[in-house]
Amino acid sequence: MIYDVILIGSGLATLVTAAKLSDDKRILVITKDELKQSSSSLAQGGIAAVMSPDDHWKYHYEDTLKAGHYYNDRAAVSMLVRRAQTEINILINQGMTFDKENGQVALGMEGAHSKRRILHAGGDATGRELVRHFRKKVYGQSNITIVEHEPVHTLHVEDGRCIGVFTEQNHYYGRHTVLASGGCGGLYRFSSNPDENRGDGIALAYRAGATLKDLEFIQFHPTLLHRDGEAFGLVSEAVRGEGGKLVDEKGKAVMDTHPLKDLAPRDIVAQTIDMKLKKGSKVFLDITNISNFPERFPTIHNNCVKAFGYQPSLLPVAPGAHFQLGGVAVNENSESSIPNLYAIGEVACTGVHGANRLASNSLLEILVYGSRLATHLNNEGEGNIQESFFTSLKPKKTIKVTLPSIQEIQRNHEEGAGIVRCREELEKCINWCAQYLEKVSEEKLHLYERDAIEKINMLRTSFLILSAASERRESLGVHMRSDTKEISQREFIG
């Protein structure tokens, strides 16, 4: 059977695209996990959109550029912010409920925004509510086949175009294949992402020959709830937007030297907290000014109870890996450099985020690009794919290889591609990955066991990110180099 569209991933990018494809398309959704498991469902932040008379898309546009250090693709940013209100209104007309205040949709404030324009659902469960909304539109559809717990290990590229995917035991043909596999937070020990998000899509795209871009840009969320070296979920930027204040163990404000104080851009806040922690200080988020905290932020409140048995007024926080800004280079229709291969969501690099993502633009990016991709695919012809005969891909014998543990890969990656990078550490960590990659044949992944394939993907993606970080010698946005005085002047342009 030839599918019209194959979607690889379990998150909101997959759901939005699948939901907006026409009913006459034969669609395969395939994921290594379950369709409900993703970073999207954990997103506490909201959706940024111009919804009030005193706001304008040009303000949102400028805020996005400024936060991104003017490294953004300006045409992509313009498309994103100008389409935002339309996408929100479509959701509302479909029955999506956003939090309200005095009968109107409530608009919150988050870091680096100049206006209140953040919509939330379920308090701090916007991602979960969006996933729930789109899952209803996907599950049970007769034209959509869902395959779970079956990781894709290779993209099938023939005569220069993508015609399907290989898994451990199956081969699926598709006229159009969409990577929606999420980010790479699982390469770090301390992350806001599900541990399974380990950058598989980057490794898949690399082996297929797709163009990758800006892999060095990994955004760290400034405030993950932290106790004894363990993360208990992130503390949304909206908490600071509602009056939360970052302080050290002496009660001294951490961000008062910045003009925007606690609502400074994420890269600056994360780097500031990181420096404080490395000097031996502790950092807390003081929430005493938020009287209705359990009602306004139920997810964070529950995480506090899980971590401490109660909700403290001073939340211990530390930065953690949060969002992959770079990825598979795509155009406005999510097309990669390989015909019939697309990428959407965190695995894609659309150019809208630049060198630092503006808060609450990630869910918006998925809505806008998911709609555009679905429209593009709905208008595409069937194309000509000839099915070949394939026997079972499961070999009788597998290649045995000794690889490091997942924890060792995470430790190495974190040392090289953490918040602050330097040449010596990067080179050491690159060489560490290379010694293992030299022992494997990535062209014959089907000959390895599933856990080995996962580690090979992790090593490859880590190697690519570390290499990109090594090549960019300037400090720019989330990419901070301690071994150079060169700082990009892009943020002062325009």
Side-chain angles (χ1 to χ4, degrees), residues 317-337:
V317 293
H322 183 55
F323 192 87
Q324 176 182 313
L325 298 168
V328 182
V330 296
N331 64 12
E332 68 275 8
N333 292 321
S334 299
E335 295 172 291
S336 76
S337 61

Side-chain angles (χ1 to χ4, degrees), residues 43-48 88 96-100 105-110 116-127 129-130 236-239 241-242 296-297 360 363:
Q44 295 175 3
I47 307 174
I88 294 299
M96 177 75 187
T97 302
F98 291 100
D99 296 344
K100 294 184 177 181
V105 173
L107 300 175
M109 175 67 84
E110 290 187 2
R116 298 184 74 88
R117 63 169 73 98
I118 315 301
L119 294 89
H120 292 90
D124 57 1
T126 311
E129 293 304 311
L130 279 171
S236 170
E237 202 155 331
V239 174
E242 296 300 318
R296 174 64 182 83
F297 302 104
S360 291
L363 294 178

Side-chain angles (χ1 to χ4, degrees), residues 263-276:
L263 293 180
R266 282 183 178 174
D267 56 337
I268 295 172
V269 180
Q271 290 163 8
T272 302
I273 294 175
D274 182 64
M275 285 188 285
K276 293 281 288 185

Side-chain angles (χ1 to χ4, degrees), residues 189-192 219-236 240 246-247 254 266 269-278 281-285 308 314-322 414 419:
R189 291 173 296 172
F190 201 51
S191 166
S192 66
Q219 186 178 67
F220 288 77
H221 197 287
T223 53
L224 269 62
L225 189 64
H226 185 270
R227 183 189 178 191
D228 300 330
E230 185 177 354
F232 288 84
L234 65 82
V235 180
S236 170
R240 282 176 279 139
L246 290 163
V247 298
V254 170
R266 282 183 178 174
V269 180
Q271 290 163 8
T272 302
I273 294 175
D274 182 64
M275 285 188 285
K276 293 281 288 185
L277 295 175
K278 286 177 178 176
S281 295
K282 295 181 179 180
V283 178
F284 301 88
L285 188 57
F308 305 102
L314 292 175
L315 310 184
V317 293
H322 183 55
E414 211 166 57
I419 293 178

Side-chain angles (χ1 to χ4, degrees), residues 61-108:
Y61 172 83
E62 182 60 31
D63 290 346
T64 301
L65 291 181
K66 190 173 182 180
H69 295 262
Y70 296 94
Y71 187 73
N72 322 58
D73 180 320
R74 297 187 180 214
V77 176
S78 177
M79 182 187 77
L80 181 82
V81 299
R82 297 177 76 167
R83 181 68 187 176
Q85 188 178 99
T86 299
E87 291 297 334
I88 294 299
N89 287 333
I90 290 173
L91 283 173
I92 292 173
N93 290 336
Q94 290 176 342
M96 177 75 187
T97 302
F98 291 100
D99 296 344
K100 294 184 177 181
E101 187 175 3
N102 300 322
Q104 302 293 322
V105 173
L107 300 175

Side-chain angles (χ1 to χ4, degrees), residues 139-175:
Y139 272 85
Q141 296 298 314
S142 59
N143 65 315
I144 300 178
T145 301
I146 298 173
V147 176
E148 298 179 322
H149 304 291
E150 189 170 340
V152 172
H153 65 65
T154 304
L155 298 173
H156 186 179
V157 177
E158 198 169 285
D159 296 328
R161 60 183 179 139
C162 188
I163 62 170
V165 301
F166 293 100
T167 67
E168 188 176 51
Q169 294 183 342
N170 293 298
H171 175 247
Y172 300 97
Y173 282 98
R175 294 186 172 89

